[in-house]
Amino acid sequence: MTSDHVAVDDPTPVQIAVLESVAPHCRHDPYRSYTTLRTAGPFVPGPHEVHFVPRHAEAQAILSDPRWSHAEEPQLLHGDSEVELPGSFLWMEPPDHTRLRGLVGKAFTARTVAGLHERAERLVDGLLTAMLAEGETDALEALAYPVPLTLICELLGVPAESHAHIREISAHIARGLDPDTLLSPVELAARTSAVHAFTDFFGDLIAQRRRDPRDDLITALVQAEDARVRLTRTELIGTLLILVVAGHETTVNLIGNGLLALIRHPDQFQRLRADPALCGPAVDEILRYDPPVHLTTRTARHEIELAGRTFAPGDAVIVLIGSAARDPEAFPDADRFDVGRYRPGQRPERHLSFGLGLHYCLGAPLARLEMQAVLRAVSTRVERMRLLAEPPYRPNVVVRGMSELRISLEGR
């Protein structure tokens, strides 16, 4: 996905938009390029004969259709990688996907997540108290990172003294989820080191849990492996990797994006303060308005006709979740941030930030709980928030988010 894949003599606006939609230097605002891509049609030619899917209708149809496979993403984005990212059910199809997802899904039942409610609120409350005492702070460091990182590590059984190590490893792997052609040699090397470090750390922890079982998810997965559920070591490490990376990196972006949206739309922040019942619907609007994950891939397993185009088996597409989220054909006034868009009684289109179908995000209930805890605390304890500087963005294309969010807060 570099400029050598597009003619540079006299590039068209669509060709420029294709490049800018995945360009690291455009992460602060990819939405302008998305607008251009949507006007170009339901399928836009991209690199390596892969088509971009920028509109909501086609994106929704593809993500919900099991004839489209997610298993080929490592080859599509990381085909020449020197390190194999450990496999997980994220990149599998039935029956292996069904087996692993069913096993891990037991940790994310409604009852289990509900049991984390009080812990999440206590955690957020303590962090917000410190932020208010400080007055001016980086909201990512003070709130957005600690909340999901602490909760997913506690759920897995990672010792508190290792949380910072896990965060560092996870950041390099999250960057490494981007197409290899967008990564520098330094970033590729950092991903390789991070994967090895992750494998070593969790390999040791798995061995410890075999010797000394505890009430945590790693123990449950180890016991399932020992019970001959056909969970290989590679599958076990890969499952933990996706739980850690997806379990906190994406929610960091969700929390950061939500705070930024409320700061830039003070009228919506006041609506939330006046009616805390909007905290639930506001989570969905944040997910739609500024998604934490901006693209995913699918490959046709059969011949498929969609929107006047026939895809042969093996044809691949890049679904632009971030573009579908701002499609005016699906969402009236799509560029407007409205915390009441998903309130009870309304019937908006479903956003795609948690995916659909077989690959719907298992951690969605936990992410919702964490974001709602943040919104409830901020709406009841904060009088006003102010942006101190325009936030810089990490270069990440897939898992998109800021690298810093400097704000000031005043308590009520």
Side-chain angles (χ1 to χ4, degrees):
M1 292 186 181
T2 52
S3 59
D4 57 341
H5 297 304
V6 176
V8 295
D9 291 339
D10 187 18
T12 68
V14 173
Q15 289 173 326
I16 293 172
V18 165
L19 292 177
E20 292 186 343
S21 68
V22 295
H25 71 275
C26 294
R27 301 329 293 157
H28 66 289
D29 182 15
Y31 295 104
R32 286 182 294 180
S33 62
Y34 293 158
T35 299
T36 302
L37 294 180
R38 287 194 303 271
T39 62
F43 306 108
V44 181
H48 306 301
E49 299 183 356
V50 175
H51 280 76
F52 283 13
V53 184
R55 297 179 180 177
H56 184 275
E58 291 75 31
Q60 180 172 249
I62 290 170
L63 295 181
S64 61
D65 188 343
R67 295 178 299 168
W68 290 92
S69 170
H70 195 31
E72 291 75 19
E73 182 161 302
Q75 290 73 40
L76 284 171
L77 303 186
H78 317 294
D80 297 325
S81 176
E82 294 181 2
V83 63
E84 181 179 355
L85 291 171
S88 80
F89 58 88
L90 180 68
W91 290 330
M92 292 180 181
E93 295 298 320
D96 288 336
H97 176 273
T98 305
R99 170 172 57 88
L100 285 175
R101 185 181 175 93
L103 181 64
V104 179
K106 296 175 182 177
F108 291 97
T109 64
R111 181 177 180 181
T112 301
V113 173
L116 296 172
H117 177 87
E118 184 178 343
R119 171 62 178 136
E121 297 220 321
R122 287 201 318 270
L123 178 60
V124 170
D125 192 59
L127 294 169
L128 187 56
T129 295
M131 292 174 69
L132 288 168
E134 188 73 17
E136 297 184 358
T137 184
D138 176 3
L140 297 187
E141 289 294 328
L143 186 65
Y145 267 106
V147 172
L149 179 63
T150 300
L151 289 178
I152 194 61
C153 282
E154 289 180 353
L155 185 63
L156 289 171
V158 175
E161 62 270 19
S162 298
H163 289 189
H165 179 52
I166 295 304
R167 173 182 167 179
E168 181 181 4
I169 293 173
S170 181
H172 290 303
I173 294 175
R175 174 63 177 137
L177 293 176
D178 281 1
D180 287 359
T181 51
L182 294 180
L183 303 179
S184 70
V186 171
E187 290 169 327
L188 289 169
R191 182 181 67 186
T192 298
S193 297
V195 169
H196 291 317
F198 187 97
T199 302
D200 291 343
F201 178 87
F202 280 97
D204 290 343
L205 202 53
I206 288 166
Q208 291 175 23
R209 291 300 183 267
R210 283 204 178 97
R211 297 190 303 266
D212 179 22
R214 300 185 184 181
D215 184 19
D216 57 38
L217 181 54
I218 291 179
T219 297
L221 292 172
V222 166
Q223 291 174 342
E225 181 186 30
D226 291 342
R228 303 183 180 227
V229 184
R230 295 181 295 121
L231 188 65
T232 68
R233 185 177 186 276
T234 298
E235 289 174 340
L236 181 52
I237 294 293
T239 296
L240 292 173
L241 186 147
I242 203 62
L243 288 174
V244 170
V245 175
H248 90 275
E249 286 285 348
T250 55
T251 309
V252 170
N253 295 343
L254 174 60
I255 294 172
N257 293 350
L259 292 175
L260 181 62
L262 291 173
I263 292 171
R264 286 181 166 164
H265 301 84
D267 61 319
Q268 298 303 303
F269 182 42
Q270 294 307 316
R271 287 183 69 188
L272 208 59
R273 292 183 60 217
D275 184 5
L278 287 174
C279 287
V283 174
D284 280 298
E285 176 64 350
I286 294 165
L287 285 162
R288 181 205 69 83
Y289 179 77
D290 203 6
V293 175
H294 270 235
L295 65 85
T296 186
T297 69
R298 291 294 187 271
T299 300
R301 303 172 69 185
H302 309 277
E303 184 174 281
I304 301 172
E305 292 187 9
L306 180 62
R309 184 179 182 87
T310 300
F311 292 90
D315 285 350
V317 297
I318 294 175
V319 179
L320 295 177
I321 295 171
S323 176
R326 297 287 189 96
D327 187 347
E329 293 297 317
F331 304 101
D333 207 359
D335 288 325
R336 180 171 61 90
F337 179 62
D338 176 8
V339 296
R341 189 184 296 267
Y342 286 89
R343 68 187 182 276
Q346 303 299 302
R347 298 182 63 85
E349 282 284 354
R350 186 174 185 174
H351 64 73
L352 306 177
S353 294
F354 286 137
L356 292 171
L358 290 174
H359 295 284
Y360 183 79
C361 178
L362 260 180
L366 180 58
R368 288 184 187 278
L369 179 145
E370 292 166 342
M371 189 69 233
Q372 285 188 44
V374 169
L375 292 179
R376 279 194 296 268
V378 168
S379 63
T380 55
R381 297 188 58 192
V382 175
E383 181 78 24
R384 62 178 57 87
M385 296 185 291
R386 185 166 60 89
L387 192 63
L388 296 177
E390 281 300 310
Y393 278 76
R394 293 183 290 171
N396 301 32
V397 172
V398 176
V399 183
R400 173 185 174 269
M402 295 169 278
S403 58
E404 186 180 62
L405 180 60
R406 298 289 307 175
I407 66 173
S408 67
L409 300 89
E410 296 179 23
R412 299 182 70 165

